[in-house]
């Protein structure tokens, strides 16, 4: 399909303002918003709201839902000229603790001279937030009929969307379509994601003096170590199931046989059947010392996401918009990570994820974006908004 004049104009406009979009991205990155830093999250959300209002004006409706021990969730609704309603969802919390930014190099060039921009949360996912805001701005400027757009910014996605999930589901059910502004998979949208479990395992043993009466003790640390090794063997990578123990704490002193130890276990599955198998096999693990009690909190956080029947027409439309803008075929991918799109897909509603940044290194020191991709990604979302003034029909 030949690029349409209107699409060419939109992408050209996105290119013209790319430096402003990038500056907004860096403004968000320079304000650290680690998932456990409540003051940082609060002021970061204030900044994000201010930036949105600066670019789009005051919303017709806004609501800030308190997150309790998590970051707040903010919804901003901008009325459209059509009957459609689109939710743009993105999280402003990052995995990086406050203080990480100091000493982090923000700009570099690759061997082929292509610029990279780096910073805590720039890829996952502050670039997507800025691009989403600008997408609506550019779509407005194009003069085409537009849907009502509700932005949902949550501050707890990286720790499971514990407080924001009900709000996400509520907003998605009111919208015709949800676009999640998570980073792309090297330019591809994400239509399938693994389900996730955040399990907490507690081992309770018997304390004793490690020198005077070691035989009287039952080490919770030793038992938990046995459990962790056994749990790792439950993984089945060929079936898409991975198990990672990422946190371990335990004991009270070096010279005391540990009476308690805990572990945090990250579990990823591609199907409900694997979820059931993992539950059963973890419960069946036995440790060598019967005096130690193992308790498992089976906290399944997000269901597996697949390309459901409701989302397939949305993917087709996104590909059509990409072709009109002169892009190569828009690919879709299944990925191992989970996002808030999992919740929407589980409701059987239309959703596309990975509408944000192009780059790499999520959750890794040195995560980065390619700033030369910002105009095209912004234009893609803007173009989609311009095609969703009426509810999507499957």
């Amino acid at each position: 399909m030949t690029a349409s004049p209107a699409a060419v104009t939109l992408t050209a406009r996105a290119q013209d303002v790319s430096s402003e979009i990038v500056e907004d991205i860096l403004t968000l990155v320079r304000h650290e918003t680690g998932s456990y830093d409540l003051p940082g999250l609060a002021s970061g959300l204030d900044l994000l709201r201010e930036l949105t209002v600066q670019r789009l004006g005051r919303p017709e409706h806004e609501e800030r839902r308190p997150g309790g021990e998590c970051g707040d969730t903010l919804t901003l609704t901008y009325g459209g000229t059509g009957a459609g309603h689109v939710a743009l969802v993105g999280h402003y919390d990052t995995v990086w603790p406050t203080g990480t930014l100091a000493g982090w190099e923000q700009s570099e060039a690759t061997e082929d001279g292509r610029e990279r921009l780096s910073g805590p949360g720039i890829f996952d996912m502050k670039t997507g937030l800025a691009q989403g805001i600008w997408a609506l701005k550019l779509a407005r400027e194009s003069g085409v009929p537009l849907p009502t757009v509700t932005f949902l910014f949550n501050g707890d996605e990286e720790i499971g969307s514990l407080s924001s999930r009900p709000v996400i589901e509520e907003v998605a059910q009111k919208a015709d379509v949800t676009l999640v502004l998570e980073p792309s998979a090297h330019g591809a949208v994400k239509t399938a994601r693994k389900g996730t479990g955040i399990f907490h395992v507690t081992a309770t043993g018997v304390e004793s003096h490690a020198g005077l009466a070691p035989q009287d003790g039952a080490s919770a640390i030793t038992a938990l170590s046995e459990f962790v090794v056994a749990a790792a063997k439950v993984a089945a990578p060929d079936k898409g199931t991975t198990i990672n123990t990422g946190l371990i704490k335990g004991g009270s002193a070096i010279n005391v046989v540990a009476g308690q130890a805990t572990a945090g276990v990250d579990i990823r599955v591609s199907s409900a059947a694997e979820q059931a198998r993992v539950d059963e096999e973890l419960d069946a693990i036995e440790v060598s010392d019967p005096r130690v009690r193992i308790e498992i909190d089976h906290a399944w956080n997000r269901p597996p996401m697949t390309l459901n029947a409701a989302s397939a027409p949305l993917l087709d439309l996104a590909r059509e918009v990409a072709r009109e803008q002169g892009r190569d075929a828009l690919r879709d991918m299944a990925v191992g990570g989970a996002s808030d799109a999992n919740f929407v897909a589980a409701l059987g509603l239309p959703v596309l994820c990975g509408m944000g940044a192009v780059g790499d290194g999520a959750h890794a020191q040195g995560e980065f974006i390619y700033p030369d991709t910002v105009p095209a990604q912004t234009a893609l979302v803007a173009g989609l908004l311009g095609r969703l003034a009426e509810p999507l029909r499957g």
Side-chain angles (χ1 to χ4, degrees), residues 58-123:
R58 292 190 176 277
E60 291 187 2
H61 177 77
E62 70 175 281
E63 185 175 9
R64 186 163 176 159
R65 304 275 189 97
E69 296 181 357
C70 304
D72 293 349
T73 300
L74 178 67
T75 55
L76 305 172
T77 298
Y78 290 88
T81 52
H85 189 172
V86 175
L88 294 179
V89 175
H91 65 88
Y92 61 93
D93 66 317
T94 78
V95 298
W96 303 104
T98 300
T100 303
L101 181 62
W104 189 314
E105 185 63 37
Q106 288 199 342
S107 180
E108 62 178 10
T110 61
E111 291 182 0
D112 61 3
R114 191 179 186 189
E115 184 184 9
R116 291 179 175 181
L117 289 178
S118 185
I122 194 168
F123 179 61

Side-chain angles (χ1 to χ4, degrees), residues 183-194 305-307 315 319 330-337 352-354:
S184 70
H186 304 288
V189 296
K190 299 171 179 177
T191 52
R193 286 180 170 277
K194 290 185 178 181
M305 170 186 171
T306 59
L307 180 62
L315 175 60
R319 285 174 168 158
L330 182 65
R331 297 174 295 115
D332 71 299
M333 292 185 64
V335 296
L352 283 184
C353 193

Side-chain angles (χ1 to χ4, degrees), residues 89-311:
V89 175
H91 65 88
Y92 61 93
D93 66 317
T94 78
V95 298
W96 303 104
T98 300
T100 303
L101 181 62
W104 189 314
E105 185 63 37
Q106 288 199 342
S107 180
E108 62 178 10
T110 61
E111 291 182 0
D112 61 3
R114 191 179 186 189
E115 184 184 9
R116 291 179 175 181
L117 289 178
S118 185
I122 194 168
F123 179 61
D124 186 12
M125 58 163 290
K126 294 187 175 181
T127 291
L129 299 177
Q131 289 177 172
I133 294 165
W134 274 89
L136 180 54
K137 179 177 174 61
L138 295 179
R140 281 176 167 181
E141 290 178 0
S142 71
V144 301
L146 291 175
T148 292
V149 174
T150 295
F151 289 93
L152 186 150
F153 302 130
N154 59 320
D156 61 351
E157 192 273 347
E158 295 292 5
I159 55 175
S161 299
L162 304 177
S163 72
S164 62
R165 177 177 181 174
V167 189
I168 294 164
E169 294 175 336
E170 175 186 318
V171 168
Q173 288 172 322
K174 291 179 180 178
D176 301 301
V177 160
T178 299
L179 303 177
V180 180
L181 302 167
E182 288 276 0
S184 70
H186 304 288
V189 296
K190 299 171 179 177
T191 52
R193 286 180 170 277
K194 290 185 178 181
T196 59
I198 304 173
F199 284 23
H200 298 282
V201 183
T202 301
T204 303
V206 180
E207 289 187 337
S208 69
H209 194 293
L212 297 178
Q215 69 281 356
D216 293 340
S219 174
I221 289 177
T222 299
L224 185 62
S225 299
E226 294 174 359
F227 178 90
V228 166
V229 171
K233 296 178 181 178
V234 175
D238 58 318
K239 297 179 181 178
T241 301
T242 60
I243 297 177
N244 175 69
T245 300
L247 290 173
I248 287 185
K249 299 178 181 178
S252 58
I254 294 176
N255 61 350
V256 176
V257 174
Q260 189 170 77
T262 60
V265 185
D266 177 286
I267 303 174
R268 311 281 169 137
V269 296
S270 297
S271 68
E274 274 298 281
Q275 179 175 320
R277 182 188 68 83
V278 168
D279 278 333
E280 182 179 351
E281 294 193 17
L282 290 185
D283 282 338
I285 293 174
E286 296 182 354
V287 296
S288 59
D289 193 329
R291 294 176 295 171
V292 179
R293 184 175 73 255
I294 300 290
E295 297 173 286
I296 308 171
D297 176 14
H298 294 251
W300 288 105
N301 177 246
R302 290 182 172 91
M305 170 186 171
T306 59
L307 180 62
N308 60 30
S311 298

